[in-house]
Amino acid sequence: MRIEKLIIKDFRSHRLTKVSFTSGINLIVGQNGSGKSSLLDALLVGLYWPSKPKDLKKEDILRVDGQSTEITVFFEKDGISYQLHRNITRGVAFAKYHDGSSWKHATETSQKAVRDWMEKLVPYDVFLNAIYIRQGEIDAILESDESREKVVRQVLGLDKYENAYKNLLEVRKEIEQRIKSIEDYLKSTENLDELIGEMEKELSGALREINELSPQIPKLERELERVEKKLGELDELEKSLNSLRLEIKEREGNRKRLETRVEGLEKRIAEGEERLHELEEKVREFNELREKAELYLRLSNFRKRYTDEKARNEKLAENYRAQIEAIDERLAELSELEKRLGELEKEKKELERKLRRLEKDAKAYEDARSISSQLEGLKKRLKLSREEIGDLAKEIEDARKRKEEIQRELEEINEERGGLKNRVKERNRAIMELKKAKGKCPVCGRKLTEKHRKEIIEKYQAELKEVSLSLKELDERERKLRGELVRIEKVLKRERELIAAKELLDQISGLEERLKEYDLEKLGKRAEEYERVKGELNRLEGELESARTELEKVKALEKKRTLTEGKLRSVEEKLRKLDDELREMGFSGMEELDEKLAGLEPTYRRYLELKGAESELQRERKNLERLRTELEGVKRELDEENRTLKRLTEALAEKERLYSREEHERTREAFTSLREELAGKRARLEALERKRDETMENLGKLREEKERRREKARELDELRKARERVQELREKVRRYKAMLKEGALARVGDIASEIFEELTEEKYSGVTVKAEENRIRLGVLYNGREYGLGFLSGGERIALGLAFRLALSLYLAGEISLLILDEPTPYLDDERRRRLVDIMQRYLRKIPQVIVVSHDEELKDAADRVIRVSLENGVSVVKEVELGV
């Protein structure tokens, strides 16, 4: 797999970024936070979304103020070019391949379909573990033997063999369960032949009994049919008799009810005729009272209208007079207010002149207060006194000088260590030559005797011990110097704090000088006077505005007074017309009208009592007519009921002569006995037939089960053989996994040794890798002895972790064509970073394409292509850098 191009839009800090990659080593360089690692995250998301590492959250993907996140990856695998596009925000995706002439879709256009397609092309776990070395993975290698074993297992793909080993165990367990199930089945069906014999006997007995019982049932059915017919005839005759008796009883009840209705109707007709006479008298009296009642009603309605309208209009007149009086009072007040308006205008002009004289001092006072507030804020921000700032400046200057001295000392130590190591190599080489030499001494040229050889070797070994002690002393000196350097760096980091404190101090001094120019006490009093005059002027302007607003109401009030006077005259005219109407009706006043109404009231009340008599009279006449018609109908119905009753009584007597209860009971008992006998024999026959059918069916099943038992026995033999084969295969997988792991770790250890020796300037002669159960132990060789990770300094531990992880990927170099490194240099010192350049040039070029992300500029020396990422106005900008620049 080889990445050709990456296009991302609105991803984290990238607005629109296009990056091309070539074969060889591609270096993405930039400061921390510039967005360089985001390019690798975008590549991972573009290929495998929604699969992603746990620390990559969807809500962190979309750029601030961005519209939608889009990622397009162009890559090549096995000679075929692919294009994969995703719109994360909208959930759209597609994958295409180039057939030599045009792009064609490789799968459905959905996020899941594209992810599944990519998983088949390059599995996610393979990409994340074998191809992509993320930040923090070196820490996982150094964290513990268990976490290191997990990384190795994932990178080398040992998990698939472990899974195969476990899965084969599950297969074996499944086979054993099936063997147990078949064995249990065969044991439970041992007596199958005995069951078949017993069932054949039962079938023979059932068939014999069926042959005996079958001819008896038709004879019983014919006899039962004859008795049933006779019983039906007797049942029908009894039913007819009971029906006639019931109908006669009902008819007699109807006749009695009809006779009672005739009596009731005749009584109601007599009462109705008497009521009709009374109503005719009331109607006559009602007509005589009609004229006086209508006069009462007319006078009563007039009185109500007169009273209501007079009261309403008198109230309106009183209200209008009160409004006119209030308007007159308000107009008088506004006349006085107009005189006051001129006085207020003069006061306003005087206050405005006074305010202009005070305005300059008030503004100066505000400026002084602002300077004072700034000064207080700056003093709060200043954490150091002048003496502390001076002390810190001296401390930083001393630290800078000491740092230069330490760096010179470290360079001297490195030079001295290099000389000592060369001396060690020379002495080791001389010892080896002395051990092999014969005749002539390779050192002094004299004749070589065993005594002379031994003396020189002992001398050189003693010298090597002294050199070893010197190297340890140098290491101890370097350790102390680097510890001191760490403390010095902490001091130097405070330089920004010093600069900020000096700037604050300069600002404070400037503000204090400016503040001396102001007389705060005098300006404060003038400012208080300014605010007081300003408040008085505001109050006066409010009073003037209010007065002008009130004076604008004069015309409206005068117009309202004219309209109200017109309304008052209209109401008074209505009151005069009401009194004229009263006199026209013949009354001088309300007292005479009330006397007239009191005299007519008894007549009107009697009139109201008789008002419904006429309609009641009409209803009573109709009711009498209806009762007379109903009486005639009931009498006709009674005659018809008597004739029917006579006919039914004669028919009952005729049927009672033909019916015998004793004969009926005998026939019913004979029918019941025959039916029970027939039902018993039918039930027995059905039971025998069911038993026959069930027995035959069970015999068939048992014969099938017998055949199945033979098949299960054959299957049991096959399963036992399969169990042996699975166990053999499981042992082969276990041995192969162990061999693969052992061989891979041996080769990884060799590669890691080479890289680690270079990173540590051959201080250590190798790396040891030992596999144990669920853990992998790392060690180093120093002076011929093996030491654990605790023996190493912090920088050496990081170098070992990097060497081991690179070795894992280089071991797979024949299988993978792409390697991605994200920040491989954290915590490495300058010398080890320089050596990493050599290692990249020598080892990583074995892999066709390498992509490295780093903030370390020195790695440019090892790169074939350099891509720089910077942050401009919060947006990541990507540019290609010419090599050598």
Side-chain angles (χ1 to χ4, degrees):
M1 180 179 184
R2 183 171 63 84
I3 307 298
E4 295 176 340
K5 187 189 296 184
L6 176 66
I7 303 173
I8 58 177
K9 176 185 175 186
D10 287 342
F11 184 90
R12 290 188 171 173
S13 59
H14 292 265
R15 181 185 288 130
L16 179 61
T17 297
K18 299 178 182 179
V19 187
S20 296
F21 298 97
T22 62
S23 298
I25 299 175
N26 297 261
L27 175 65
I28 301 173
V29 68
Q31 295 299 316
N32 291 333
S34 61
K36 56 187 185 301
S37 291
S38 295
L39 292 174
L40 298 186
D41 288 338
L43 176 63
L44 187 62
V45 169
L47 291 175
Y48 294 103
W49 183 263
S51 297
K52 62 185 187 307
K54 293 179 181 178
D55 58 349
L56 194 61
K57 299 178 181 178
K58 184 176 181 180
E59 55 266 26
D60 299 333
I61 288 176
L62 181 62
R63 185 178 65 85
V64 177
D65 299 329
Q67 299 299 316
S68 65
T69 300
E70 296 182 47
I71 303 171
T72 307
V73 184
F74 293 85
F75 63 95
E76 176 269 330
K77 188 177 188 301
D78 300 330
I80 300 175
S81 294
Y82 296 96
Q83 176 190 162
L84 199 157
H85 174 80
R86 292 186 192 274
N87 188 314
I88 305 300
T89 307
R90 297 179 182 173
V92 177
F94 66 77
K96 296 181 179 180
Y97 68 94
H98 201 276
D99 65 354
S101 59
S102 62
W103 289 101
K104 294 187 177 180
H105 282 281
T107 183
E108 297 177 10
T109 55
S110 72
Q111 297 281 21
K112 184 179 183 302
V114 172
R115 191 267 313 276
D116 294 344
W117 172 85
M118 188 65 204
E119 276 278 355
K120 293 176 183 176
L121 198 66
V122 180
Y124 175 70
D125 288 339
V126 171
F127 186 88
L128 198 61
N129 295 317
I131 295 175
Y132 185 12
I133 304 177
R134 302 188 76 214
Q135 288 189 41
E137 197 170 320
I138 305 302
D139 294 337
I141 288 172
L142 298 172
E143 182 181 342
S144 66
D145 297 341
E146 290 77 11
S147 61
R148 186 180 309 116
E149 196 270 343
K150 183 178 179 182
V151 172
V152 170
R153 195 169 62 243
Q154 290 174 340
V155 174
L156 298 181
L158 298 177
D159 280 344
K160 59 186 177 183
Y161 297 104
E162 183 66 31
N163 292 336
Y165 185 71
K166 292 178 181 177
N167 291 338
L168 284 170
L169 177 61
E170 294 300 319
V171 171
R172 191 190 72 188
K173 289 180 180 178
E174 179 65 25
I175 292 172
E176 288 174 347
Q177 287 178 359
R178 290 178 62 187
I179 289 172
K180 178 69 167 57
S181 175
I182 292 173
E183 288 175 345
D184 292 343
Y185 166 76
L186 292 175
K187 186 175 182 180
S188 66
T189 56
E190 287 175 346
N191 60 345
L192 205 58
D193 290 332
E194 185 180 343
L195 288 173
I196 291 172
E198 291 176 0
M199 282 195 178
E200 287 175 343
K201 289 179 183 178
E202 287 182 13
L203 178 62
S204 177
L207 290 172
R208 186 171 57 255
E209 194 173 349
I210 287 171
N211 292 333
E212 292 173 358
L213 195 58
S214 296
Q216 298 175 17
I217 290 174
K219 294 178 182 179
L220 285 171
E221 287 175 342
R222 289 192 293 273
E223 180 64 19
L224 180 64
E225 184 179 352
R226 184 187 66 76
V227 174
E228 186 177 11
K229 182 178 180 184
K230 185 176 180 181
L231 180 62
E233 292 171 353
L234 290 171
D235 285 342
E236 189 63 34
L237 184 57
E238 182 185 33
K239 183 179 178 183
S240 179
L241 283 169
N242 290 335
S243 178
L244 281 171
R245 292 188 185 106
L246 182 60
E247 188 175 357
I248 288 169
K249 189 174 181 181
E250 289 176 353
R251 294 286 181 178
E252 287 175 344
N254 287 340
R255 181 176 63 182
K256 188 173 181 181
R257 285 193 296 275
L258 289 170
E259 289 171 347
T260 303
R261 282 183 68 191
V262 168
E263 291 176 3
L265 288 169
E266 288 174 344
K267 183 178 179 183
R268 287 169 66 189
I269 288 169
E271 292 172 349
E273 289 173 346
E274 185 178 350
R275 173 71 178 155
L276 188 64
H277 179 70
E278 292 176 359
L279 287 170
E280 287 173 346
E281 289 297 324
K282 287 183 178 181
V283 168
R284 202 165 29 253
E285 183 182 357
F286 175 76
N287 290 330
E288 290 172 356
L289 296 174
R290 186 188 300 275
E291 184 178 351
K292 289 184 178 180
E294 289 176 351
L295 176 61
Y296 176 84
L297 188 61
R298 189 167 61 254
L299 292 174
S300 177
N301 287 337
F302 171 74
R303 186 188 188 286
K304 185 177 184 305
R305 180 171 63 81
Y306 177 88
T307 305
D308 291 346
E309 289 186 10
K310 188 165 185 177
R312 184 173 65 254
N313 286 314
E314 284 178 347
K315 187 174 181 181
L316 284 171
E318 184 180 353
N319 187 28
Y320 291 149
R321 292 187 192 101
Q323 287 183 31
I324 291 168
E325 185 178 351
I327 289 170
D328 289 341
E329 290 177 0
R330 183 64 180 145
L331 286 170
E333 291 174 359
L334 291 174
S335 177
E336 291 296 324
L337 183 61
E338 191 172 7
K339 297 176 184 178
R340 170 69 178 154
L341 189 64
E343 298 173 2
L344 292 173
E345 290 286 356
K346 292 179 182 178
E347 290 181 29
K348 179 186 173 184
K349 290 179 181 177
E350 180 60 30
L351 287 172
E352 286 175 342
R353 283 194 296 273
K354 194 171 183 180
L355 195 65
R356 283 194 293 274
R357 290 196 300 271
L358 294 169
E359 186 173 9
K360 184 178 179 181
D361 290 341
K363 187 176 183 305
Y365 181 69
E366 285 301 317
D367 292 343
R369 286 185 62 190
S370 174
I371 292 169
S372 180
S373 176
Q374 291 179 44
L375 189 60
E376 288 298 318
L378 291 173
K379 286 180 178 179
K380 287 179 181 178
R381 287 170 56 192
L382 186 64
K383 306 298 182 183
L384 302 173
S385 64
R386 292 180 184 274
E387 292 76 12
E388 288 172 333
I389 291 171
D391 293 343
L392 180 59
K394 185 177 183 307
E395 186 179 1
I396 289 170
E397 184 60 30
D398 292 344
R400 190 177 288 109
K401 292 177 181 177
R402 179 55 184 157
K403 180 180 179 181
E404 293 173 358
E405 292 173 1
I406 290 173
Q407 288 174 339
R408 284 195 297 272
E409 287 184 44
L410 287 172
E411 289 174 1
E412 292 171 0
I413 288 171
N414 283 331
E415 290 176 3
E416 189 175 348
R417 183 188 287 117
L420 290 173
K421 285 186 175 182
N422 288 333
R423 191 173 168 190
V424 167
K425 288 180 182 178
E426 290 173 0
R427 292 297 179 260
N428 282 327
R429 188 164 50 250
I431 290 171
M432 293 296 294
E433 289 175 356
L434 280 167
K435 287 180 179 178
K436 295 177 185 178
K438 294 180 180 178
K440 191 176 180 181
C441 176
V443 178
C444 60
R446 293 187 301 169
K447 183 179 179 182
L448 183 64
T449 64
E450 285 303 320
K451 182 180 178 183
H452 183 56
R453 187 202 311 266
K454 186 176 179 182
E455 286 174 355
I456 296 175
I457 289 174
E458 287 175 353
K459 177 185 174 185
Y460 284 173
Q461 285 177 342
E463 194 174 331
L464 284 174
K465 286 182 182 179
E466 291 176 4
V467 170
S468 177
L469 290 173
S470 299
L471 285 171
K472 285 184 179 179
E473 290 174 0
L474 288 175
D475 289 343
E476 181 62 22
R477 277 180 62 198
E478 182 181 5
R479 186 184 65 76
K480 290 179 180 180
L481 288 171
R482 291 197 180 278
E484 186 180 356
L485 196 59
V486 170
R487 292 192 295 274
I488 287 170
E489 288 293 342
K490 289 180 180 178
V491 173
L492 291 175
K493 283 180 181 178
R494 296 191 65 191
E495 188 170 13
R496 292 178 62 185
E497 179 185 354
L498 175 66
I499 293 168
K502 285 182 176 180
E503 289 178 356
L504 283 175
L505 197 60
D506 292 342
Q507 292 176 29
I508 288 169
S509 300
L511 290 175
E512 286 175 343
E513 287 300 319
R514 286 179 60 190
L515 198 60
K516 291 176 182 179
E517 299 172 3
Y518 296 92
D519 186 347
L520 286 177
E521 184 177 356
K522 180 182 176 182
L523 289 175
K525 291 178 180 178
R526 299 283 287 175
E528 287 178 7
E529 179 67 12
Y530 175 83
E531 292 297 327
R532 185 190 65 75
V533 172
K534 189 176 180 182
E536 184 65 24
L537 181 60
N538 289 337
R539 181 194 62 75
L540 191 60
E541 286 177 343
E543 190 175 349
L544 276 167
E545 184 64 27
S546 177
R548 293 189 189 101
T549 303
E550 288 296 315
L551 288 172
E552 288 174 358
K553 297 177 181 178
V554 171
K555 289 183 180 180
L557 288 169
E558 290 173 346
K559 184 178 179 182
K560 185 177 180 181
R561 188 181 190 285
T562 302
L563 291 172
T564 306
E565 284 178 340
K567 290 178 182 178
L568 178 60
R569 286 193 296 273
S570 175
V571 168
E572 288 172 345
E573 181 62 25
K574 287 179 182 179
L575 288 170
R576 280 194 297 273
K577 285 181 179 180
L578 280 174
D579 290 335
D580 291 345
E581 192 175 350
L582 180 63
R583 285 191 292 273
E584 286 173 2
M585 293 186 73
F587 302 102
S588 60
M590 284 299 293
E591 293 81 5
E592 290 183 11
L593 177 59
D594 288 342
E595 287 177 7
K596 182 66 175 176
L597 284 171
L600 291 172
E601 187 176 359
T603 303
Y604 180 71
R605 282 201 300 269
R606 179 59 180 165
Y607 173 80
L608 291 177
E609 291 174 0
L610 297 172
K611 193 172 184 180
E614 188 170 0
S615 60
E616 193 175 351
L617 176 62
Q618 296 299 325
R619 286 197 302 272
E620 192 61 38
R621 282 173 179 164
K622 289 179 182 178
N623 189 44
L624 272 173
E625 184 64 28
R626 183 184 58 76
L627 289 173
R628 291 186 182 111
T629 302
E630 186 178 351
L631 179 59
E632 290 175 3
V634 173
K635 285 180 178 180
R636 285 194 301 273
E637 196 176 336
L638 181 58
D639 291 342
E640 180 63 31
E641 196 67 37
N642 284 329
R643 287 192 295 273
T644 303
L645 192 58
K646 182 180 179 183
R647 179 176 54 77
L648 290 172
T649 304
E650 291 171 354
L652 178 62
E654 178 65 25
K655 289 195 175 185
E656 284 178 341
R657 186 177 60 77
L658 298 172
Y659 177 73
S660 170
R661 182 168 294 280
E662 290 79 8
E663 183 185 8
H664 194 177
E665 289 298 327
R666 285 195 303 274
T667 305
R668 181 179 284 112
E669 289 173 1
F671 173 76
T672 301
S673 177
L674 284 168
R675 186 175 61 184
E676 290 175 355
E677 184 180 358
L678 179 62
K681 291 191 175 184
R682 280 176 175 167
R684 179 58 182 163
L685 181 61
E686 288 175 2
L688 288 168
E689 289 174 341
R690 281 197 303 272
K691 183 176 181 181
R692 176 197 63 195
D693 295 341
E694 289 173 1
T695 304
M696 291 176 69
E697 183 180 356
N698 289 335
L699 271 171
K701 289 179 179 178
L702 286 173
R703 291 183 182 116
E704 290 175 2
E705 194 69 28
K706 188 174 180 180
E707 181 61 30
R708 184 166 173 266
R709 192 171 187 276
R710 282 196 290 269
E711 292 176 359
K712 286 291 182 182
R714 289 194 294 272
E715 184 181 354
L716 181 62
D717 292 338
E718 293 296 326
L719 286 172
R720 285 170 176 163
K721 294 175 183 177
R723 179 175 59 184
E724 293 174 3
R725 289 196 298 272
V726 167
Q727 184 59 29
E728 290 173 2
L729 180 59
R730 191 164 181 262
E731 285 300 314
K732 288 179 181 178
V733 169
R734 184 185 63 78
R735 289 195 298 271
Y736 181 73
K737 186 193 77 168
M739 289 170 58
L740 177 65
K741 185 176 181 180
E742 184 178 349
L745 288 179
R747 180 58 186 144
V748 167
D750 292 342
I751 300 171
S753 294
E754 293 178 19
I755 297 173
F756 185 61
E757 284 179 31
E758 290 203 29
L759 284 173
T760 58
E761 299 176 314
E762 299 183 359
K763 174 181 177 181
Y764 298 94
S765 56
V767 174
T768 60
V769 184
K770 295 181 180 178
E772 299 178 3
E773 186 66 25
N774 295 328
R775 63 181 62 191
I776 291 178
R777 296 192 182 279
L778 272 184
V780 294
L781 294 175
Y782 181 73
N783 285 341
R785 291 181 60 190
E786 181 180 344
Y787 293 91
L789 299 187
F791 182 76
L792 302 175
S793 66
E796 290 171 342
R797 282 173 58 87
I798 297 298
L800 177 59
L802 178 61
F804 185 77
R805 185 58 185 88
L806 287 175
L808 285 173
S809 293
L810 289 168
Y811 172 75
L812 297 172
E815 300 177 22
I816 63 172
S817 57
L818 170 65
L819 177 64
I820 300 173
L821 294 171
D822 190 1
E823 292 290 1
T825 62
Y827 314 115
L828 292 181
D829 56 29
D830 295 342
E831 179 60 29
R832 290 193 177 94
R833 283 200 296 272
R834 284 192 294 272
R835 290 186 176 277
L836 181 60
V837 173
D838 297 335
I839 290 167
M840 288 172 61
Q841 290 177 329
R842 188 181 314 164
Y843 293 100
L844 296 190
R845 292 196 180 280
K846 297 176 183 178
I847 300 172
Q849 186 181 47
V850 178
I851 299 173
V852 182
V853 168
S854 178
H855 65 275
D856 191 349
E857 298 283 344
E858 292 182 22
L859 297 187
K860 288 195 298 184
D861 296 337
D864 298 306
R865 188 165 185 270
V866 178
I867 300 157
R868 184 175 297 282
V869 183
S870 59
L871 198 66
E872 299 179 8
N873 298 321
V875 177
S876 294
V877 177
V878 176
K879 295 178 183 177
E880 184 175 356
V881 179
E882 293 183 12
L883 292 177
V885 176

